[in-house]
Amino acid sequence: MRQTNQTLVTEFLLLGLSDDPHTQHLLFFLFLGVYLVTVLGNLLLISLVHIDSQLHTPMYFFLCNLSLADLCFSTNIVPQALVHLLSRKKFISFTRCAAQLLLFLIFGCTQCTLLAVMSYDRYVAICSPLHYSSIMTWKVCVQLATGSWTSGIVVSVVDTTFTLKAPYRGSNSIAHFFCEAPALLILASADTRTSEMAIFLMGVVILLVPVSLILVSYGHIIVTVVKMKSAAGRLKAFSTCGSHLMVVIFFYGSAIITYMTPKSSKEHEKLVSVFYAMVTPMLNPLIYSLRNKDVKRALRKVATRNFPCRLGTSQ
């Protein structure tokens, strides 16, 4: 965009997903339901892992970190989106927009790295089961989790800096329901090619590198599983990895479409953002709990302890 003498933007107008009041009310109840399931599901998963000592393993330690990132990721976006769906003034200050962008990237980028770490954990568990306890020590797990959060922070600071370093003058209408880098850069009143290239390179680091590690890990896992003589062993291995693969496909697929592919229509980009900002954080705990016998056992154990009479009567 060409430079103008207009004053710097101090607040942005979020245009949202629709300007039709009826549609906005429907979206409000839909997003509210999704957010409540997200909060309850992730908090329940974190609580179960904390309460049940049998879930005190590296896999569930990383899963707790992923649930925490999911919870914060969704909470950074959805409450404000809900308020704007019911209000006429959909403004957000420049400072709040910058904070939302930074937090969105921190939690999103951390999820990217955590998913790669979780695939490595499954690789060691299946391909080197006899050495698993000596490799995946608690010290190593803490270091991997800390590295995931640290890499998320570093990449998000770089992306946020390059997004906000351009001057914003004149138009302040963001064709989105939250502050996201691609939607913001469209409004910049200066050449954004440097910023776009920097964000693309950070996308390679935080998206394509972890995806490559995941593919390599699962390549080795598949080879190992196929060589197993026991059908029960193969089924158990695929079961433990199936949940993780589903989450990887949902999250990385939508994120790569947004940050690593040519720009598409604004409506398409908003729909993709809805999926990874709202739907994926809700699906993660559901996928891991519904497909995981250990989590379902821990849930029944907690339910029996708190409601023994009711469960005894129903049986």
Side-chain angles (χ1 to χ4, degrees):
M1 299 178 65
R2 64 174 182 273
Q3 285 276 19
T4 70
N5 293 323
Q6 295 170 301
T7 58
L8 290 172
V9 170
T10 59
E11 63 179 7
F12 293 103
L13 172 64
L14 294 170
L15 299 179
L17 296 170
S18 173
D19 55 4
D20 177 59
H22 181 66
T23 302
Q24 289 180 353
H25 290 151
L26 289 177
L27 289 175
F28 173 83
F29 289 108
L30 177 61
F31 291 168
L32 178 61
V34 169
Y35 180 63
L36 291 177
V37 173
T38 299
V39 172
L40 294 175
N42 283 290
L43 286 179
L44 178 61
L45 195 55
I46 293 172
S47 300
L48 286 175
V49 175
H50 177 73
I51 293 171
D52 196 319
S53 58
Q54 294 186 22
L55 298 181
H56 292 176
T57 63
M59 183 178 77
Y60 293 106
F61 170 71
F62 295 130
L63 185 54
C64 276
N65 277 269
L66 182 65
S67 288
L68 178 61
D70 276 335
L71 188 59
C72 295
F73 185 73
S74 185
T75 300
N76 180 50
I77 297 170
V78 182
Q80 177 195 268
L82 291 174
V83 171
H84 282 180
L85 284 171
L86 296 181
S87 62
R88 293 183 178 180
K89 296 182 179 180
K90 307 179 191 299
F91 289 98
I92 181 172
S93 68
F94 189 94
T95 303
R96 284 183 58 195
C97 184
Q100 185 182 61
L101 174 64
L102 177 63
L103 293 174
F104 163 77
L105 290 170
I106 287 175
F107 300 128
C109 294
T110 299
Q111 289 180 68
C112 292
T113 315
L114 281 172
L115 289 171
V117 168
M118 292 172 71
S119 70
Y120 172 73
D121 172 71
R122 291 300 83 206
Y123 160 74
V124 177
I126 294 173
C127 298
S128 303
L130 298 179
H131 301 95
Y132 181 75
S133 59
S134 61
I135 295 175
M136 298 302 293
T137 63
W138 281 112
K139 180 180 179 181
V140 171
C141 291
V142 171
Q143 289 174 340
L144 288 172
T146 303
S148 297
W149 286 94
T150 302
S151 63
I153 292 172
V154 171
V155 172
S156 62
V157 168
V158 173
D159 280 0
T160 303
T161 301
F162 274 96
T163 301
L164 300 178
K165 76 182 186 71
Y168 289 87
R169 298 185 176 91
S171 176
N172 68 337
S173 298
I174 302 177
H176 216 318
F177 62 97
F178 70 95
C179 293
E180 192 173 17
L184 273 170
L185 286 174
I186 295 175
L187 303 180
S189 52
D191 187 3
T192 60
R193 282 178 294 183
T194 301
S195 296
E196 290 173 356
M197 180 56 66
I199 292 173
F200 178 83
L201 292 176
M202 288 297 100
V204 171
V205 172
I206 206 66
L207 287 174
L208 297 187
V209 171
V211 165
S212 300
L213 294 175
I214 291 171
L215 292 176
V216 171
S217 296
Y218 274 97
H220 287 289
I221 289 173
I222 291 172
V223 172
T224 302
V225 171
V226 169
K227 291 181 179 178
M228 288 182 178
K229 296 180 180 180
S230 170
R234 289 197 298 269
L235 182 62
K236 182 179 179 180
F238 279 125
S239 176
T240 56
C241 295
S243 301
H244 183 252
L245 272 177
M246 289 177 67
V247 172
V248 166
I249 293 171
F250 286 146
F251 183 80
Y252 276 105
S254 54
I256 289 174
I257 289 174
T258 300
Y259 288 93
M260 304 297 296
T261 58
K263 294 180 181 179
S264 55
S265 67
K266 294 179 181 179
E267 296 303 318
H268 179 261
E269 290 179 355
K270 285 192 283 187
L271 288 176
V272 174
S273 297
V274 168
F275 188 82
Y276 70 74
M278 298 187 184
V279 179
T280 302
M282 176 192 69
L283 290 178
N284 287 355
L286 294 178
I287 291 172
Y288 281 109
S289 60
L290 293 177
R291 293 178 55 86
N292 193 297
K293 293 181 179 179
D294 293 333
V295 174
K296 288 189 285 188
R297 176 198 53 76
L299 184 58
R300 285 195 298 268
K301 183 178 178 180
V302 171
T304 304
R305 184 187 306 166
N306 292 298
F307 308 103
C309 295
R310 293 182 182 180
L311 290 178
T313 302
S314 62
Q315 292 172 355

